[in-house]
Amino acid sequence: MLRQVPNLLTLLRILLVPVVWKLLWDREYERAIVVGFVATITDALDGWLARKLKAESRFGAYMDPVADKLLLSGSYLIFGLDGVIPGWLMYAVLGRDILILVFALLARLFTNLRDFPPSALGKLSTFIQIITGLVILINASLGGDIYTHRLKQWSEWICLAVTAWSGLHYLYTGIGMW
């Protein structure tokens, strides 16, 4: 039973995704920070427990990145549609994720490739997107005060750079694997 805890945490994170989306859509940023923090903790905890308990599973290997993509991509989509972030950042984050998904689908359909581990740059991009999302939420919850607004702007540009770099890296790697 204990070996199923990492998968249950991943499932919990997936169940929290629509809750975060609803809170963001309703502009309940403080509550979104709390629920998003819980989701982030489950992300860190499920991987750590899976390694500690030697309970890595096929479900976890597939669903952990799916949960991350749902949470981040959906959040950036809502931020963009609501005008909380510039459209270019929304398109960069969504475009990178769509690129990765299309590559993975094509690889599964037309090659023998089945394992698509994230690169260090991909993990960095995800981390930067999480931090930027947190900065965006804090800025929005404080009404965009001058200090958090500047931090938000810098975070957005850093997020764009790392996301684009990661997307190009995945494109290059994908073409090389093909």
Side-chain angles (χ1 to χ4, degrees), residues 62-116:
Y62 283 110
M63 296 311 292
D64 185 66
V66 167
D68 292 342
K69 296 292 176 224
L70 287 171
L71 187 59
L72 284 172
S73 295
S75 296
Y76 277 84
L77 177 65
I78 292 167
F79 287 148
L81 292 175
D82 200 23
V84 175
I85 61 170
W88 49 260
L89 182 57
M90 176 187 73
Y91 290 123
V93 170
L94 295 176
R96 174 189 168 269
D97 288 348
I98 290 168
L99 174 78
I100 292 169
L101 290 172
V102 166
F103 169 72
L105 177 63
L106 291 174
R108 285 191 67 80
L109 290 174
F110 299 112
T111 72
N112 291 328
L113 295 173
R114 294 297 177 261
D115 190 25
F116 310 106

CSV table of all heavy atoms in Angstrom, one decimal, residues 62-116:
chain,number,residue,atom,x,y,z
A,62,TYR,N,4.4,8.5,-16.7
A,62,TYR,CA,3.6,9.2,-17.7
A,62,TYR,C,2.8,10.3,-17.1
A,62,TYR,O,2.7,11.4,-17.6
A,62,TYR,CB,2.6,8.2,-18.4
A,62,TYR,CG,3.3,7.4,-19.4
A,62,TYR,CD1,3.5,6.0,-19.2
A,62,TYR,CD2,3.7,7.9,-20.6
A,62,TYR,CE1,4.1,5.2,-20.1
A,62,TYR,CE2,4.4,7.1,-21.5
A,62,TYR,CZ,4.6,5.8,-21.3
A,62,TYR,OH,5.2,5.0,-22.2
A,63,MET,N,2.2,10.1,-15.9
A,63,MET,CA,1.2,11.1,-15.4
A,63,MET,C,1.8,12.2,-14.6
A,63,MET,O,1.2,13.3,-14.6
A,63,MET,CB,0.2,10.3,-14.5
A,63,MET,CG,-0.7,9.3,-15.2
A,63,MET,SD,-1.4,9.9,-16.7
A,63,MET,CE,-2.6,11.1,-16.1
A,64,ASP,N,3.0,12.1,-14.1
A,64,ASP,CA,3.6,13.2,-13.4
A,64,ASP,C,3.9,14.4,-14.4
A,64,ASP,O,3.5,15.5,-14.1
A,64,ASP,CB,5.0,12.7,-12.7
A,64,ASP,CG,5.6,13.9,-11.9
A,64,ASP,OD1,5.0,14.3,-10.9
A,64,ASP,OD2,6.7,14.3,-12.3
A,65,PRO,N,4.5,14.1,-15.5
A,65,PRO,CA,4.6,15.3,-16.5
A,65,PRO,C,3.3,15.8,-17.0
A,65,PRO,O,3.2,17.0,-17.3
A,65,PRO,CB,5.6,14.7,-17.6
A,65,PRO,CG,5.6,13.3,-17.4
A,65,PRO,CD,5.2,12.9,-16.0
A,66,VAL,N,2.3,14.9,-17.2
A,66,VAL,CA,1.0,15.3,-17.6
A,66,VAL,C,0.4,16.3,-16.6
A,66,VAL,O,-0.2,17.3,-17.0
A,66,VAL,CB,0.1,14.1,-17.9
A,66,VAL,CG1,-1.4,14.5,-18.0
A,66,VAL,CG2,0.6,13.3,-19.1
A,67,ALA,N,0.5,15.9,-15.3
A,67,ALA,CA,0.0,16.8,-14.3
A,67,ALA,C,0.7,18.2,-14.3
A,67,ALA,O,0.0,19.2,-14.2
A,67,ALA,CB,0.2,16.1,-12.9
A,68,ASP,N,2.0,18.1,-14.5
A,68,ASP,CA,2.7,19.4,-14.6
A,68,ASP,C,2.2,20.3,-15.7
A,68,ASP,O,2.0,21.5,-15.6
A,68,ASP,CB,4.2,19.2,-14.7
A,68,ASP,CG,4.8,18.6,-13.4
A,68,ASP,OD1,4.2,18.7,-12.4
A,68,ASP,OD2,5.9,18.0,-13.5
A,69,LYS,N,2.1,19.6,-16.9
A,69,LYS,CA,1.7,20.3,-18.1
A,69,LYS,C,0.3,20.9,-18.0
A,69,LYS,O,0.0,22.0,-18.4
A,69,LYS,CB,1.8,19.4,-19.4
A,69,LYS,CG,3.1,18.9,-19.7
A,69,LYS,CD,4.0,20.1,-20.2
A,69,LYS,CE,5.4,19.6,-20.5
A,69,LYS,NZ,6.4,20.5,-20.0
A,70,LEU,N,-0.6,20.1,-17.4
A,70,LEU,CA,-2.0,20.6,-17.2
A,70,LEU,C,-2.0,21.8,-16.3
A,70,LEU,O,-2.6,22.8,-16.6
A,70,LEU,CB,-2.9,19.5,-16.6
A,70,LEU,CG,-3.3,18.3,-17.6
A,70,LEU,CD1,-3.9,17.2,-16.8
A,70,LEU,CD2,-4.2,18.8,-18.7
A,71,LEU,N,-1.3,21.7,-15.2
A,71,LEU,CA,-1.3,22.8,-14.2
A,71,LEU,C,-0.7,24.1,-14.8
A,71,LEU,O,-1.2,25.1,-14.8
A,71,LEU,CB,-0.6,22.4,-13.0
A,71,LEU,CG,-0.6,23.4,-11.8
A,71,LEU,CD1,-2.1,23.6,-11.4
A,71,LEU,CD2,0.1,22.8,-10.6
A,72,LEU,N,0.5,23.9,-15.4
A,72,LEU,CA,1.2,25.1,-15.9
A,72,LEU,C,0.6,25.6,-17.2
A,72,LEU,O,0.4,26.8,-17.3
A,72,LEU,CB,2.7,24.8,-16.2
A,72,LEU,CG,3.6,24.7,-14.9
A,72,LEU,CD1,5.0,24.1,-15.3
A,72,LEU,CD2,3.7,26.0,-14.2
A,73,SER,N,0.4,24.8,-18.2
A,73,SER,CA,-0.2,25.3,-19.4
A,73,SER,C,-1.6,25.9,-19.2
A,73,SER,O,-1.9,27.0,-19.7
A,73,SER,CB,-0.3,24.1,-20.4
A,73,SER,OG,1.0,23.7,-20.8
A,74,GLY,N,-2.4,25.2,-18.4
A,74,GLY,CA,-3.7,25.8,-18.1
A,74,GLY,C,-3.7,27.1,-17.4
A,74,GLY,O,-4.4,28.0,-17.7
A,75,SER,N,-2.7,27.2,-16.5
A,75,SER,CA,-2.6,28.5,-15.7
A,75,SER,C,-2.1,29.6,-16.6
A,75,SER,O,-2.7,30.7,-16.6
A,75,SER,CB,-1.6,28.3,-14.6
A,75,SER,OG,-2.1,27.3,-13.6
A,76,TYR,N,-1.1,29.3,-17.4
A,76,TYR,CA,-0.6,30.4,-18.4
A,76,TYR,C,-1.7,30.7,-19.4
A,76,TYR,O,-1.8,31.9,-19.8
A,76,TYR,CB,0.7,29.9,-19.0
A,76,TYR,CG,1.9,30.2,-18.1
A,76,TYR,CD1,2.3,29.4,-17.1
A,76,TYR,CD2,2.6,31.4,-18.3
A,76,TYR,CE1,3.3,29.6,-16.3
A,76,TYR,CE2,3.7,31.7,-17.4
A,76,TYR,CZ,4.0,30.8,-16.4
A,76,TYR,OH,5.1,31.1,-15.6
A,77,LEU,N,-2.5,29.8,-19.8
A,77,LEU,CA,-3.6,30.1,-20.7
A,77,LEU,C,-4.6,31.0,-20.1
A,77,LEU,O,-5.0,32.0,-20.7
A,77,LEU,CB,-4.3,28.8,-21.2
A,77,LEU,CG,-5.5,29.0,-22.1
A,77,LEU,CD1,-5.1,29.6,-23.4
A,77,LEU,CD2,-6.2,27.6,-22.3
A,78,ILE,N,-5.0,30.7,-18.8
A,78,ILE,CA,-5.9,31.6,-18.1
A,78,ILE,C,-5.3,33.0,-17.9
A,78,ILE,O,-6.0,34.0,-18.1
A,78,ILE,CB,-6.4,30.9,-16.8
A,78,ILE,CG1,-7.2,29.7,-17.1
A,78,ILE,CG2,-7.1,31.9,-15.9
A,78,ILE,CD1,-7.5,28.8,-15.9
A,79,PHE,N,-4.0,33.0,-17.4
A,79,PHE,CA,-3.3,34.3,-17.2
A,79,PHE,C,-3.4,35.1,-18.5
A,79,PHE,O,-3.6,36.3,-18.5
A,79,PHE,CB,-1.9,34.1,-16.8
A,79,PHE,CG,-1.7,33.6,-15.4
A,79,PHE,CD1,-0.5,32.8,-15.2
A,79,PHE,CD2,-2.5,34.0,-14.4
A,79,PHE,CE1,-0.3,32.4,-13.9
A,79,PHE,CE2,-2.2,33.5,-13.1
A,79,PHE,CZ,-1.1,32.7,-12.8
A,80,GLY,N,-3.1,34.5,-19.6
A,80,GLY,CA,-3.1,35.2,-20.9
A,80,GLY,C,-4.4,35.6,-21.4
A,80,GLY,O,-4.6,36.8,-21.8
A,81,LEU,N,-5.4,34.8,-21.3
A,81,LEU,CA,-6.8,35.1,-21.7
A,81,LEU,C,-7.3,36.3,-20.8
A,81,LEU,O,-8.1,37.1,-21.3
A,81,LEU,CB,-7.7,33.9,-21.6
A,81,LEU,CG,-7.4,32.8,-22.7
A,81,LEU,CD1,-8.3,31.6,-22.4
A,81,LEU,CD2,-7.6,33.3,-24.1
A,82,ASP,N,-6.9,36.3,-19.6
A,82,ASP,CA,-7.4,37.3,-18.6
A,82,ASP,C,-6.6,38.6,-18.7
A,82,ASP,O,-6.9,39.5,-18.0
A,82,ASP,CB,-7.4,36.7,-17.2
A,82,ASP,CG,-8.4,37.4,-16.3
A,82,ASP,OD1,-9.3,38.1,-16.7
A,82,ASP,OD2,-8.1,37.4,-15.0
A,83,GLY,N,-5.5,38.6,-19.5
A,83,GLY,CA,-4.7,39.8,-19.6
A,83,GLY,C,-3.8,40.0,-18.4
A,83,GLY,O,-3.2,41.1,-18.2
A,84,VAL,N,-3.6,39.0,-17.6
A,84,VAL,CA,-2.7,39.1,-16.4
A,84,VAL,C,-1.2,39.0,-16.9
A,84,VAL,O,-0.4,39.6,-16.3
A,84,VAL,CB,-3.0,37.9,-15.4
A,84,VAL,CG1,-2.0,37.9,-14.3
A,84,VAL,CG2,-4.4,38.1,-14.9
A,85,ILE,N,-1.0,38.3,-18.0
A,85,ILE,CA,0.4,38.3,-18.6
A,85,ILE,C,0.2,38.7,-20.1
A,85,ILE,O,-0.9,38.6,-20.7
A,85,ILE,CB,1.0,36.9,-18.5
A,85,ILE,CG1,0.2,35.8,-19.2
A,85,ILE,CG2,1.3,36.5,-17.1
A,85,ILE,CD1,0.9,34.5,-19.4
A,86,PRO,N,1.3,39.1,-20.7
A,86,PRO,CA,1.3,39.4,-22.1
A,86,PRO,C,1.0,38.1,-23.0
A,86,PRO,O,1.4,37.0,-22.6
A,86,PRO,CB,2.7,40.0,-22.4
A,86,PRO,CG,3.4,40.1,-21.1
A,86,PRO,CD,2.6,39.3,-20.1
A,87,GLY,N,0.4,38.3,-24.1
A,87,GLY,CA,0.0,37.2,-24.9
A,87,GLY,C,1.3,36.4,-25.4
A,87,GLY,O,1.2,35.2,-25.5
A,88,TRP,N,2.4,37.1,-25.6
A,88,TRP,CA,3.6,36.5,-26.1
A,88,TRP,C,4.1,35.4,-25.1
A,88,TRP,O,4.6,34.4,-25.5
A,88,TRP,CB,4.7,37.5,-26.5
A,88,TRP,CG,5.0,38.5,-25.5
A,88,TRP,CD1,4.6,39.8,-25.5
A,88,TRP,CD2,5.8,38.4,-24.3
A,88,TRP,NE1,5.1,40.5,-24.4
A,88,TRP,CE2,5.9,39.7,-23.7
A,88,TRP,CE3,6.6,37.4,-23.8
A,88,TRP,CZ2,6.6,39.9,-22.5
A,88,TRP,CZ3,7.3,37.6,-22.6
A,88,TRP,CH2,7.3,38.9,-22.0
A,89,LEU,N,3.9,35.7,-23.8
A,89,LEU,CA,4.4,34.7,-22.8
A,89,LEU,C,3.5,33.5,-22.8
A,89,LEU,O,3.9,32.3,-22.8
A,89,LEU,CB,4.5,35.3,-21.5
A,89,LEU,CG,5.0,34.4,-20.4
A,89,LEU,CD1,6.4,33.8,-20.7
A,89,LEU,CD2,5.0,35.1,-19.0
A,90,MET,N,2.2,33.7,-22.9
A,90,MET,CA,1.2,32.6,-23.0
A,90,MET,C,1.5,31.7,-24.2
A,90,MET,O,1.6,30.5,-24.1
A,90,MET,CB,-0.2,33.2,-23.1
A,90,MET,CG,-1.3,32.1,-23.3
A,90,MET,SD,-2.9,32.7,-23.6
A,90,MET,CE,-2.8,33.3,-25.3
A,91,TYR,N,1.7,32.4,-25.4
A,91,TYR,CA,2.0,31.6,-26.6
A,91,TYR,C,3.3,30.8,-26.5
A,91,TYR,O,3.4,29.7,-27.0
A,91,TYR,CB,2.0,32.5,-27.8
A,91,TYR,CG,0.6,33.0,-28.2
A,91,TYR,CD1,0.4,34.4,-28.2
A,91,TYR,CD2,-0.4,32.1,-28.4
A,91,TYR,CE1,-0.9,34.9,-28.5
A,91,TYR,CE2,-1.7,32.6,-28.7
A,91,TYR,CZ,-1.9,34.0,-28.8
A,91,TYR,OH,-3.2,34.4,-29.0
A,92,ALA,N,4.3,31.4,-25.9
A,92,ALA,CA,5.6,30.7,-25.7
A,92,ALA,C,5.5,29.5,-24.9
A,92,ALA,O,6.0,28.4,-25.3
A,92,ALA,CB,6.7,31.7,-25.1
A,93,VAL,N,4.8,29.6,-23.7
A,93,VAL,CA,4.7,28.4,-22.8
A,93,VAL,C,3.8,27.4,-23.5
A,93,VAL,O,4.2,26.2,-23.5
A,93,VAL,CB,4.0,28.9,-21.5
A,93,VAL,CG1,3.7,27.7,-20.6
A,93,VAL,CG2,5.0,29.8,-20.7
A,94,LEU,N,2.7,27.8,-24.1
A,94,LEU,CA,1.8,26.8,-24.7
A,94,LEU,C,2.5,26.2,-26.0
A,94,LEU,O,2.4,25.0,-26.3
A,94,LEU,CB,0.5,27.4,-25.1
A,94,LEU,CG,-0.4,27.9,-23.9
A,94,LEU,CD1,-1.7,28.6,-24.4
A,94,LEU,CD2,-0.8,26.7,-23.1
A,95,GLY,N,3.2,27.1,-26.7
A,95,GLY,CA,3.8,26.6,-28.0
A,95,GLY,C,4.9,25.5,-27.7
A,95,GLY,O,5.0,24.5,-28.4
A,96,ARG,N,5.7,25.7,-26.6
A,96,ARG,CA,6.7,24.8,-26.2
A,96,ARG,C,6.0,23.4,-25.9
A,96,ARG,O,6.5,22.4,-26.3
A,96,ARG,CB,7.5,25.3,-25.1
A,96,ARG,CG,8.5,24.3,-24.5
A,96,ARG,CD,9.2,24.8,-23.2
A,96,ARG,NE,9.9,23.8,-22.5
A,96,ARG,CZ,9.4,23.0,-21.6
A,96,ARG,NH1,8.1,23.1,-21.2
A,96,ARG,NH2,10.1,22.1,-21.0
A,97,ASP,N,5.0,23.5,-25.1
A,97,ASP,CA,4.3,22.3,-24.6
A,97,ASP,C,3.7,21.6,-25.8
A,97,ASP,O,3.7,20.3,-25.9
A,97,ASP,CB,3.3,22.6,-23.5
A,97,ASP,CG,4.0,22.9,-22.2
A,97,ASP,OD1,5.2,22.7,-22.1
A,97,ASP,OD2,3.3,23.4,-21.3
A,98,ILE,N,3.1,22.3,-26.7
A,98,ILE,CA,2.5,21.7,-27.9
A,98,ILE,C,3.6,21.0,-28.8
A,98,ILE,O,3.4,19.9,-29.3
A,98,ILE,CB,1.6,22.7,-28.7
A,98,ILE,CG1,0.4,23.1,-27.9
A,98,ILE,CG2,1.3,22.2,-30.1
A,98,ILE,CD1,-0.4,24.3,-28.4
A,99,LEU,N,4.7,21.7,-28.9
A,99,LEU,CA,5.8,21.2,-29.7
A,99,LEU,C,6.3,19.8,-29.1
A,99,LEU,O,6.4,18.8,-29.8
A,99,LEU,CB,7.0,22.1,-29.7
A,99,LEU,CG,8.3,21.6,-30.3
A,99,LEU,CD1,8.2,21.7,-31.8
A,99,LEU,CD2,9.5,22.5,-29.8
A,100,ILE,N,6.4,19.8,-27.8
A,100,ILE,CA,6.8,18.5,-27.1
A,100,ILE,C,5.8,17.4,-27.3
A,100,ILE,O,6.1,16.3,-27.6
A,100,ILE,CB,7.1,18.8,-25.6
A,100,ILE,CG1,8.3,19.7,-25.4
A,100,ILE,CG2,7.2,17.5,-24.8
A,100,ILE,CD1,8.5,20.2,-24.0
A,101,LEU,N,4.5,17.8,-27.1
A,101,LEU,CA,3.4,16.8,-27.3
A,101,LEU,C,3.4,16.3,-28.7
A,101,LEU,O,3.2,15.0,-28.9
A,101,LEU,CB,2.1,17.4,-26.8
A,101,LEU,CG,1.9,17.6,-25.4
A,101,LEU,CD1,0.6,18.4,-25.1
A,101,LEU,CD2,2.0,16.3,-24.6
A,102,VAL,N,3.5,17.1,-29.7
A,102,VAL,CA,3.4,16.7,-31.1
A,102,VAL,C,4.6,15.8,-31.4
A,102,VAL,O,4.4,14.8,-32.0
A,102,VAL,CB,3.4,17.9,-32.0
A,102,VAL,CG1,3.6,17.5,-33.5
A,102,VAL,CG2,2.0,18.6,-31.9
A,103,PHE,N,5.8,16.2,-30.9
A,103,PHE,CA,7.0,15.3,-31.2
A,103,PHE,C,6.8,14.0,-30.5
A,103,PHE,O,7.0,12.9,-31.2
A,103,PHE,CB,8.2,16.0,-30.6
A,103,PHE,CG,9.4,15.0,-30.6
A,103,PHE,CD1,10.0,14.6,-31.8
A,103,PHE,CD2,9.8,14.4,-29.4
A,103,PHE,CE1,11.0,13.7,-31.8
A,103,PHE,CE2,10.8,13.5,-29.4
A,103,PHE,CZ,11.4,13.1,-30.6
A,104,ALA,N,6.3,13.9,-29.3
A,104,ALA,CA,6.1,12.7,-28.6
A,104,ALA,C,5.1,11.8,-29.3
A,104,ALA,O,5.3,10.6,-29.5
A,104,ALA,CB,5.7,12.9,-27.2
A,105,LEU,N,4.0,12.4,-29.8
A,105,LEU,CA,3.0,11.7,-30.5
A,105,LEU,C,3.5,11.1,-31.8
A,105,LEU,O,3.3,9.9,-32.1
A,105,LEU,CB,1.8,12.6,-30.8
A,105,LEU,CG,0.6,11.9,-31.6
A,105,LEU,CD1,0.0,10.8,-30.8
A,105,LEU,CD2,-0.4,13.0,-31.9
A,106,LEU,N,4.2,11.9,-32.6
A,106,LEU,CA,4.8,11.5,-33.9
A,106,LEU,C,5.8,10.4,-33.6
A,106,LEU,O,5.8,9.4,-34.4
A,106,LEU,CB,5.4,12.7,-34.6
A,106,LEU,CG,4.4,13.7,-35.2
A,106,LEU,CD1,5.2,14.9,-35.8
A,106,LEU,CD2,3.5,13.1,-36.2
A,107,ALA,N,6.6,10.5,-32.6
A,107,ALA,CA,7.6,9.5,-32.3
A,107,ALA,C,7.0,8.2,-31.9
A,107,ALA,O,7.4,7.1,-32.4
A,107,ALA,CB,8.5,10.0,-31.2
A,108,ARG,N,5.9,8.3,-31.2
A,108,ARG,CA,5.2,7.0,-30.8
A,108,ARG,C,4.5,6.4,-32.0
A,108,ARG,O,4.5,5.2,-32.1
A,108,ARG,CB,4.1,7.3,-29.7
A,108,ARG,CG,4.8,7.5,-28.3
A,108,ARG,CD,3.8,7.5,-27.2
A,108,ARG,NE,3.1,6.3,-27.0
A,108,ARG,CZ,3.6,5.2,-26.3
A,108,ARG,NH1,4.8,5.3,-25.8
A,108,ARG,NH2,2.9,4.2,-26.1
A,109,LEU,N,4.0,7.2,-32.9
A,109,LEU,CA,3.3,6.7,-34.1
A,109,LEU,C,4.2,6.1,-35.1
A,109,LEU,O,3.9,5.1,-35.8
A,109,LEU,CB,2.4,7.7,-34.7
A,109,LEU,CG,1.2,8.2,-33.9
A,109,LEU,CD1,0.5,9.4,-34.6
A,109,LEU,CD2,0.2,7.0,-33.8
A,110,PHE,N,5.4,6.8,-35.3
A,110,PHE,CA,6.2,6.4,-36.5
A,110,PHE,C,7.6,5.9,-36.2
A,110,PHE,O,8.4,5.6,-37.1
A,110,PHE,CB,6.3,7.7,-37.4
A,110,PHE,CG,5.0,8.1,-37.9
A,110,PHE,CD1,4.5,9.3,-37.5
A,110,PHE,CD2,4.3,7.4,-38.8
A,110,PHE,CE1,3.3,9.8,-37.9
A,110,PHE,CE2,3.0,7.8,-39.3
A,110,PHE,CZ,2.5,9.0,-38.8
A,111,THR,N,7.9,5.7,-34.9
A,111,THR,CA,9.2,5.2,-34.5
A,111,THR,C,9.1,4.2,-33.4
A,111,THR,O,8.0,4.0,-32.9
A,111,THR,CB,10.2,6.3,-34.1
A,111,THR,OG1,9.8,6.8,-32.8
A,111,THR,CG2,10.3,7.4,-35.1
A,112,ASN,N,10.2,3.6,-33.0
A,112,ASN,CA,10.2,2.7,-31.8
A,112,ASN,C,10.5,3.4,-30.5
A,112,ASN,O,10.6,2.8,-29.5
A,112,ASN,CB,11.2,1.6,-32.0
A,112,ASN,CG,10.8,0.6,-33.1
A,112,ASN,OD1,9.6,0.4,-33.4
A,112,ASN,ND2,11.7,0.1,-33.9
A,113,LEU,N,10.6,4.7,-30.6
A,113,LEU,CA,10.9,5.5,-29.4
A,113,LEU,C,9.7,5.5,-28.4
A,113,LEU,O,8.6,5.8,-28.8
A,113,LEU,CB,11.3,7.0,-29.7
A,113,LEU,CG,12.6,7.2,-30.5
A,113,LEU,CD1,12.7,8.6,-30.9
A,113,LEU,CD2,13.8,6.8,-29.7
A,114,ARG,N,10.0,5.2,-27.2
A,114,ARG,CA,8.9,5.2,-26.2
A,114,ARG,C,9.3,5.9,-24.9
A,114,ARG,O,8.4,6.2,-24.1
A,114,ARG,CB,8.5,3.7,-25.8
A,114,ARG,CG,8.0,2.9,-26.9
A,114,ARG,CD,6.6,3.5,-27.4
A,114,ARG,NE,6.1,2.8,-28.5
A,114,ARG,CZ,6.1,3.2,-29.8
A,114,ARG,NH1,6.8,4.3,-30.1
A,114,ARG,NH2,5.6,2.5,-30.7
A,115,ASP,N,10.5,6.3,-24.8
A,115,ASP,CA,11.0,6.9,-23.6
A,115,ASP,C,11.4,8.4,-23.9
A,115,ASP,O,12.2,8.6,-24.8
A,115,ASP,CB,12.2,6.2,-23.0
A,115,ASP,CG,12.5,6.7,-21.6
A,115,ASP,OD1,11.7,7.2,-20.9
A,115,ASP,OD2,13.7,6.5,-21.2
A,116,PHE,N,10.7,9.3,-23.3
A,116,PHE,CA,11.0,10.7,-23.5
A,116,PHE,C,11.3,11.5,-22.2
A,116,PHE,O,10.6,12.2,-21.7
A,116,PHE,CB,9.8,11.4,-24.2
A,116,PHE,CG,9.3,10.7,-25.4
A,116,PHE,CD1,8.1,10.0,-25.3
A,116,PHE,CD2,10.0,10.7,-26.6
A,116,PHE,CE1,7.6,9.3,-26.4
A,116,PHE,CE2,9.5,10.0,-27.7
A,116,PHE,CZ,8.3,9.3,-27.6
